[in-house]
């Protein structure tokens, strides 16, 4: 049905507020705008990059009709606490995979988890994603310390020069995009935008390629002083 259809069928209408993630793709917020409702951006959890339940609770007003949580990078959002908040305030709660995430078979997930575990045990100088139940590693996202400088971007350029196909997963907070601009500042979202970097864990990677990736990261990461 999609976000628009789900919200419309639940009675969300023009003038209602819908709490959405500030970090990630703009499609959810755009779907809310399409209904004539107002997207209200909430901050994300520092570990999962999904909606922070406490931030959701803080964002609720008498006009709030719904919350849309997005599972990010293959890690599930904390739906238990978010649903509890929704029940307390009488809100519709919708959970979605992030746009572009396709169905992945069990064997592929197992192999991605094996590659993620390999990197977890070998990477230094960057913060690896916490291992949690249910994580499918659609993307393997690390944090590169900032120290007030664009270290993540320099780090990414240096990795690419060594043949590592890394990418910045989210370029800007959703609330800074022209059509969705809001005068807010959400610290965990800002920090995630500045520090996150997605490293390859595709199942075609050989153990030798993973070793080369880890070696390249560690040679650069050891030059950085952690900012956390």
């Amino acid at each position: 049905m999609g976000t628009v259809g789900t919200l419309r069928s639940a009675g969300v209408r023009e003038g209602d507020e819908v709490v959405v993630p500030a970090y990630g793709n703009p499609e959810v917020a755009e779907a809310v705008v399409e209904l004539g409702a107002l997207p209200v951006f909430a901050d994300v959890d520092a570990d999962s990059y999904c909606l922070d339940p406490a931030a959701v609770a803080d964002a609720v007003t008498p006009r709030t009709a719904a919350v849309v949580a997005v599972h990010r990078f293959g890690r599930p959002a904390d739906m238990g606490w978010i649903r509890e908040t929704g029940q307390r305030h009488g809100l519709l709660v919708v959970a979605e995979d992030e746009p572009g995430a396709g169905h992945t078979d069990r064997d592929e997930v197992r192999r991605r988890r094996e590659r993620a575990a390999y990197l977890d045990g070998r990477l230094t100088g960057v913060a690896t994603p916490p291992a949690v139940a249910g994580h499918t590693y659609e993307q393997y996202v690390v944090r590169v310390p900032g120290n007030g400088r664009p270290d993540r971007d320099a780090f990414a350029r240096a990795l690419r020069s060594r043949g590592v196909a890394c990418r910045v997963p989210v370029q800007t907070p959703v609330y800074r995009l022209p059509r969705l601009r809001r005068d807010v500042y959400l610290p965990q979202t800002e920090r995630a935008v500045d520090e996150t970097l997605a490293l390859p864990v595709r199942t075609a990677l050989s153990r030798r390629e993973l070793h080369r990736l880890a070696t390249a990261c560690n040679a650069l990461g050891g030059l950085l002083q952690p900012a956390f």
Side-chain angles (χ1 to χ4, degrees):
M1 183 180 292
T3 304
V4 171
T6 300
L7 295 175
R8 181 180 288 121
S9 66
V12 175
R13 57 189 186 276
E14 186 172 353
D16 285 341
E17 294 180 354
V18 179
V19 179
V20 299
Y23 177 83
N25 307 78
E27 285 87 344
V28 170
E30 289 171 344
V32 174
V33 171
E34 185 178 332
L35 286 173
L38 178 70
V40 175
F41 297 105
D43 212 350
V44 294
D45 173 75
D47 289 333
S48 70
Y49 309 111
C50 303
L51 277 177
D52 179 354
V56 171
D58 289 344
V60 172
T61 76
R63 294 174 58 190
T64 306
V67 178
V68 181
V70 180
H71 307 306
R72 189 69 61 198
F73 306 140
R75 174 165 171 163
D78 188 350
M79 295 309 302
W81 283 107
I82 293 172
R83 286 197 176 100
E84 193 277 332
T85 299
Q87 290 171 359
R88 190 165 66 247
H89 295 280
L91 309 176
L92 169 71
V93 174
V94 178
E96 295 193 346
D97 292 323
E98 67 184 315
H103 173 74
T104 306
D105 64 46
R106 186 177 303 176
D107 188 56
E108 184 174 347
V109 171
R110 176 186 59 79
R111 286 180 288 172
R112 281 205 303 246
R113 285 173 174 160
E114 288 174 352
R115 284 155 176 76
Y118 179 91
L119 293 176
D120 287 347
R122 285 161 177 79
L123 289 176
T124 60
V126 298
T128 57
V132 297
H135 202 326
T136 60
Y137 295 97
E138 294 282 343
Q139 298 186 62
Y140 184 86
V141 177
V142 300
R143 284 182 183 266
V144 181
N147 300 323
R149 305 187 303 277
D151 288 340
R152 189 273 317 276
D153 295 340
F155 188 93
R157 287 193 297 271
L159 279 185
R160 292 182 193 118
S161 74
R162 290 161 169 79
V164 176
C166 60
R167 70 181 194 87
V168 175
V170 177
Q171 298 283 347
T172 187
V174 181
Y175 52 78
R176 285 204 203 134
L177 298 175
R179 187 178 174 216
L180 300 166
R181 190 174 298 277
R182 299 288 187 278
D183 186 19
V184 296
Y185 179 91
L186 301 176
Q188 291 301 337
T189 294
E190 297 281 345
R191 184 180 166 209
V193 165
D194 287 345
E195 295 182 355
T196 49
L197 187 66
L199 301 178
V201 287
R202 61 185 184 277
T203 55
L205 281 176
S206 67
R207 183 58 64 94
R208 176 173 293 182
E209 288 172 314
L210 281 173
H211 176 74
R212 187 164 65 242
L213 184 161
T215 299
C217 284
N218 293 347
L220 297 166
L223 302 176
L224 302 175
Q225 295 298 315
F228 44 83

